[in-house]
Amino acid sequence: MDVLKKEEVYTIEDIYALPDGERAELIDGKIYAMAPSNRRHQDIIFSLSRKIADYIESKNGDCKVYLAPFAVFLNEDDRNYVEPDISIICDSNKLNDKGCVGAPDWIIEIVSPSSRKMDYYKKLFKYRTAGVREYWVVDPDRRIITVYEFEHDNMEEYSFGEDVPVGIYDGFTIRVE
């Protein structure tokens, strides 16, 4: 009789037990190592987060912008932990000293060759089911931004250089260069 091999299920404790400097995400109990980002990746994160934070400040908004590494505990369980490139959280009750407990309102991921499948598939599903309102996948290699507005069950693609409307803010657009 063959014995079924049980796959190990990891928890947030395992993430916190990683050696210093080693980053990983946890999705449905499986650990995914994270590669360091390159300069272009960092340039895009900084540019987008600055534009978003400036807009929120100009409107005296309550939302906060957080950059990776910033912990997001998507579910009530201990088997999901992600570090989105940019997280925008509008409900301060979701914030604690460790990060965000629950779904951010808006998440932006910058695709790298090593994260492509994760950003377009696994995280798309997790973010949608967790209650994220809007999710952007910025793909520097393809020079496109894919915008998922989960509240309206809508997906649109934009090219770099186009004004991309922000679904959670009426009248706010961002141009990704």
Side-chain angles (χ1 to χ4, degrees):
M1 178 168 131
D2 290 319
V3 177
L4 293 176
K5 183 179 173 189
K6 185 176 185 276
E7 189 173 311
E8 183 137 13
V9 176
Y10 295 94
T11 67
I12 290 168
E13 283 184 28
D14 296 306
I15 292 291
Y16 283 114
L18 291 172
D20 282 349
E22 196 170 312
R23 290 179 52 212
E25 293 180 306
L26 180 69
I27 297 179
D28 296 328
K30 186 170 180 181
I31 291 181
Y32 297 89
M34 296 174 69
S37 57
N38 63 30
R39 185 183 59 80
R40 179 174 63 166
H41 190 106
Q42 286 296 311
D43 286 344
I44 294 170
I45 290 172
F46 179 76
S47 175
L48 286 172
S49 61
R50 187 183 67 224
K51 290 173 185 176
I52 296 163
D54 286 349
Y55 177 82
I56 292 169
E57 187 176 316
S58 76
K59 300 294 185 184
N60 296 315
D62 294 327
C63 301
K64 300 282 186 191
V65 180
Y66 294 95
L67 311 180
F70 177 75
V72 173
F73 307 91
L74 283 175
N75 307 93
E76 299 276 332
D77 63 32
D78 65 349
R79 292 184 179 89
N80 289 282
Y81 166 98
V82 292
E83 293 183 3
D85 289 318
I86 303 173
S87 300
I88 294 87
I89 296 110
C90 300
D91 180 355
S92 63
N93 292 321
K94 291 183 179 182
L95 298 169
N96 65 25
D97 287 342
K98 289 187 175 185
C100 176
V101 179
D105 293 86
W106 180 16
I107 289 177
I108 300 173
E109 295 282 10
I110 315 305
V111 174
S112 62
S114 64
S115 73
R116 186 169 299 283
K117 274 177 63 174
M118 180 70 79
D119 293 338
Y120 277 109
Y121 299 105
K122 278 195 188 303
K123 286 185 177 178
L124 172 66
F125 176 76
K126 289 309 288 184
Y127 293 161
R128 181 184 189 117
T129 57
V132 171
R133 294 167 59 198
E134 186 164 350
Y135 175 43
W136 287 21
V137 180
V138 178
D139 193 330
D141 290 339
R142 294 174 52 213
R143 298 185 53 78
I144 62 166
I145 303 98
T146 307
V147 175
Y148 299 92
E149 286 186 84
F150 297 135
E151 291 180 309
H152 302 109
D153 212 18
N154 190 38
M155 186 273 286
E156 296 284 335
E157 281 191 350
Y158 300 88
S159 297
F160 277 33
E162 284 186 273
D163 287 334
V164 182
V166 177
I168 68 167
Y169 295 116
D170 286 338
F172 179 37
T173 62
I174 296 178
R175 182 172 294 190
V176 180
E177 300 293 345

